Amino acid sequence: MTQLIQKLKQFLPAEVQVATEGNLLRLLTAEGKPCGIVDVDENENLIGFDLQMMLPDEEGSDARVLAQQFAAAFYPEAAEVIQQDYAAQSLSTLIRLAEKDAVHHLPIPGAGLAVEIHDSGFVTAAQLYRNTYTLIDSDELIDVTEAKQKLLAETPIVVAVEGGSTLYKLSDQAIGVHADGTVLFTELPPVLADIEAADDHKDWASLMGITKDFVNYYNEDGVQLWAEKDLVNNQPIDAIPDQVAVRKNEEVQFYSGATPWNKDRRYTEEELKQQAVLFLSAVTDQPLGEWKHAGEQLAPDASIEDELEPAYIFLFAYTKSGISVEGVEASIHVGIYSGLIRECIVDRVPDAVKAKKQLIFSEQAKQQLDDLLLLELAWVELQEASQYELVYVRTDR
């Protein structure tokens, strides 16, 4: 402990004393008043400390140099400065240093230290992060050029809108490329399939169970509400249940329905899908052929027995010239016993996309992105605690 105290005191004002209390170290002023605590582990290694006292308003040593000297004394493996921020209010500079691995010389996530340097040239706080980790290294590491080509080849292109203009980009679901050349996704992009439109057409109201027994009792500010006549006639307006509600604005259309239903039969998944397609056709302003089926699933709460009908959820993605438009999707919940629409959210297509008569082909878009796409090798944490692998991660310009 004596050696640690001596090393620490060279970074503190001369009048600060360090008192030992078991495994705890206290910082004291010249008058013996507490001004901070030093944390150490069972091996008497520094974990961190915080000094709280007034310091002279004068310029001291270079903060970056002092932080590296502190790291050399207490955590020599953390030698790479990765962040430096000045806080004028506290007259101090926060510097973070990272530990790098010995083979690839890459920063190890979560391993390093943070040091706060006062303008006077004293260290006022520090926190060390020593991680026990395992790097699952690859026997053969592909080069960055090959990794880039694999990412471009296997990642879907999307068209996005920024600043009122359209641009092409790789799907955000692709993080980068494993050292063995396989693409790393946060989740696998959906497989888009053409919609088989039904021969018949229905209006959206009938697909939600609105009959002649319903009245539209509210219609203001983009909100419309329907309920059965008996409910409307016999209850105050604020007590009427929203059996059907429609909300529309410039960004989204939202439909919700809780019309009566019976548990007489269970529709097949294909029948429910056709109901969803019919509803999408009735409410979208765009050609149905530009929408693609993006998957389906039973609603998570479908097994809960209550007044709400269990539903199947069908997902659709909007495309232009076969390319997905970022952020434009439809989610349609269909009751499994009634076939009625229980909820639907449809994103509006941005004006910049509607103004485009034709987009370039996906392969041409990827060629445009080639020069803009940058990859760098990094450690990425696996699901297992404290285990990492090498990945070429995206650092798009």
Side-chain angles (χ1 to χ4, degrees), residues 164-212:
S165 301
T166 58
L167 56 86
Y168 300 97
K169 56 185 288 190
L170 287 182
S171 168
D172 290 336
Q173 294 165 320
I175 297 176
V177 181
H178 293 277
D180 63 2
T182 56
V183 177
L184 173 61
F185 293 98
T186 54
E187 60 180 353
L188 292 177
V191 177
L192 303 184
D194 291 339
I195 294 174
E196 295 183 11
D199 294 332
D200 58 336
H201 297 278
K202 294 182 179 180
D203 62 274
W204 69 266
S206 64
L207 288 164
M208 295 195 72
I210 295 179
T211 67
K212 59 182 177 52

Side-chain angles (χ1 to χ4, degrees), residues 175-284:
I175 297 176
V177 181
H178 293 277
D180 63 2
T182 56
V183 177
L184 173 61
F185 293 98
T186 54
E187 60 180 353
L188 292 177
V191 177
L192 303 184
D194 291 339
I195 294 174
E196 295 183 11
D199 294 332
D200 58 336
H201 297 278
K202 294 182 179 180
D203 62 274
W204 69 266
S206 64
L207 288 164
M208 295 195 72
I210 295 179
T211 67
K212 59 182 177 52
D213 294 326
F214 282 70
V215 292
N216 178 200
Y217 68 92
Y218 184 90
N219 188 356
E220 291 184 22
D221 301 324
V223 178
Q224 298 185 56
L225 304 175
W226 280 263
E228 292 170 287
K229 292 177 185 177
D230 290 344
L231 293 174
V232 175
N233 294 336
N234 296 311
Q235 297 190 56
I237 191 169
D238 57 353
I240 300 172
D242 297 339
Q243 290 184 301
V244 174
V246 179
R247 296 172 174 83
K248 298 181 181 181
N249 57 41
E250 294 180 355
E251 297 180 350
V252 70
Q253 301 178 72
F254 176 76
Y255 301 79
S256 65
T259 49
W261 58 282
N262 296 310
K263 204 171 182 179
D264 296 333
R265 57 163 292 196
R266 178 165 180 150
Y267 281 68
T268 67
E269 185 178 322
E270 185 59 33
E271 289 174 322
L272 297 173
K273 181 179 177 181
Q274 280 301 309
Q275 290 291 91
V277 170
L278 284 169
F279 193 79
L280 180 62
S281 178
V283 299
T284 181

Side-chain angles (χ1 to χ4, degrees), residues 1 4 13 15 18 31 46 55 57 70 86 89 110 139 145 174 193 198 217 233 313 315 357 372 382:
M1 194 76 79
L4 182 147
E15 65 270 23
V18 183
E31 295 77 22
L46 180 67
L55 294 173
D57 185 11
F70 186 89
Y86 183 73
Q89 185 175 6
D139 294 335
T145 301
Y217 68 92
N233 294 336
I313 304 173
L315 304 175
K357 293 184 178 180
L372 300 175
L382 300 173

Side-chain angles (χ1 to χ4, degrees), residues 104-164:
H104 304 283
H105 308 292
L106 298 172
I108 300 169
L113 76 156
V115 187
E116 186 177 273
I117 312 293
H118 190 266
D119 284 354
S120 59
F122 298 109
V123 178
T124 54
Q127 187 68 46
L128 284 67
Y129 307 94
R130 296 180 182 273
N131 284 346
T132 301
Y133 53 84
T134 301
L135 176 62
I136 309 301
D137 211 341
S138 178
D139 294 335
E140 293 186 11
L141 181 65
I142 65 171
D143 63 37
V144 66
T145 301
E146 185 180 355
K148 182 176 176 180
Q149 294 308 310
K150 286 182 176 292
L151 185 64
L152 285 169
E154 298 182 29
T155 306
I157 287 286
V158 298
V159 62
V161 176
E162 293 184 8

